[in-house]
C-alpha cells in the first residue's frame, strides 16, 4: 500500500500526517516524536513514502478548523485503523469522549467492558497513532492528574485548555 506523508503546521508544532491511498488517516504524530514512525508502520505491514508528498487538503483544513475552535472538525476525517483488537477498542472509545469532558483511564476501561484494565488502556492509548483526532489527550488520571501523553504533557495541557475554552468551561473544571 502506498502511503502519503504531509507536514501540517499547528500551534503546537509541526505534525506529520500519514494517509493511505484513499486519503484515510493512518497516523498523525508530532514531528519531534516521529522517530519511531517508520518502524511502527513496518510492523503494521505498511511502508512510508521516502519524502513528504502532496498535502491532503482535507486533513489540513480539519486541523486548521480544530485549532481555530471548531472542536468537531476532526470528526469528518476518514481513519485507517491499525493495531490489535484491544487497541482498536480503546482508540474507538476515545472518539466517544466529548471535548472539554476528560475521563479517567479507569472510566475508559469500564467503557470498553474491561473494568480492571486501566493500566492496559493507558498502554494502548500511549500507542495511539492518530494524535488529536483520536483524542487520547482527553484521558487523565483518576485523581485528575495529567498523566501520560506521547506528544508531551505540555501539549496535553494545552489541548485540554483549548477544548475547555471553546466549550465555554474553565480549564480547571475540564481537567477535574
Amino acid at each position: 500500500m502506498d502511503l502519503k506523508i504531509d507536514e501540517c503546521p499547528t500551534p503546537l508544532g509541526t505534525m506529520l500526517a500519514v494517509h493511505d491511498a484513499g486519503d484515510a488517516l493512518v497516523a498523525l504524530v508530532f514531528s519531534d516524536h516521529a522517530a519511531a514512525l517508520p518502524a511502527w508502520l513496518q510492523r503494521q505491514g505498511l511502508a512510508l513514502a521516502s519524502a513528504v508528498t502532496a498535502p491532503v487538503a482535507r486533513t489540513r483544513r480539519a486541523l486548521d478548523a480544530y485549532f481555530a475552535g471548531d472542536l468537531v472538525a476532526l470528526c469528518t476525517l476518514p481513519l485507517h485503523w491499525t493495531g490489535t483488537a484491544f487497541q482498536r477498542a480503546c482508540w474507538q472509545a476515545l472518539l466517544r469522549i466529548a471535548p472539554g469532558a476528560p475521563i479517567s483511564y479507569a472510566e475508559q476501561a469500564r467503557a470498553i467492558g474491561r473494568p480492571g484494565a486501566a493500566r492496559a488502556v493507558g498502554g494502548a492509548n500511549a500507542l495511539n497513532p492518530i494524535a488529536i483526532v483520536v483524542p487520547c489527550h482527553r484521558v487523565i488520571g483518576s485523581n485528575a492528574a495529567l498523566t501520560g501523553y506521547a506528544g508531551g504533557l505540555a501539549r496535553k495541557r494545552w489541548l485540554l485548555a483549548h477544548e475547555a475554552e471553546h466549550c465555554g468551561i474553565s480549564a480547571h473544571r475540564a481537567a477535574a
Side-chain angles (χ1 to χ4, degrees):
M1 175 184 302
D2 291 331
L3 298 178
K4 298 177 269 189
I5 186 168
D6 183 21
E7 291 181 335
C8 300
T10 77
L12 295 173
T14 300
M15 297 189 81
L16 300 179
V18 180
H19 298 87
D20 66 15
D23 289 342
L25 198 55
V26 175
L28 181 65
V29 298
F30 291 100
S31 60
D32 59 343
H33 288 86
L37 184 60
W40 177 83
L41 287 168
Q42 187 175 29
R43 285 192 304 277
Q44 304 305 314
L46 304 169
L48 189 60
S50 59
V52 172
T53 58
V56 176
R58 176 176 34 201
T59 298
R60 283 189 174 198
R61 279 193 309 270
L63 280 170
D64 289 346
Y66 170 84
F67 284 111
D70 180 358
L71 302 181
V72 297
L74 302 175
C75 297
T76 63
L77 294 174
L79 305 177
H80 177 113
W81 293 104
T82 59
T84 67
F86 178 77
Q87 289 169 334
R88 288 190 310 273
C90 290
W91 301 335
Q92 289 168 350
L94 294 170
L95 295 173
R96 295 188 294 274
I97 304 170
I103 66 169
S104 70
Y105 294 95
E107 289 172 298
Q108 185 184 359
R110 285 192 296 275
I112 64 166
R114 301 280 301 271
R119 283 182 167 288
V121 163
N125 288 357
L127 298 174
N128 169 20
I130 308 175
I132 303 174
V133 176
V134 179
C136 57
H137 63 275
R138 294 182 188 152
V139 183
I140 58 177
S142 293
N143 62 355
L146 297 186
T147 60
Y149 186 62
L153 289 181
R155 285 182 175 134
K156 183 173 188 165
R157 186 175 296 106
W158 190 98
L159 289 164
L160 289 172
H162 171 70
E163 291 181 354
E165 174 186 348
H166 292 285
C167 286
I169 61 175
S170 74
H172 175 73
R173 191 173 129 222

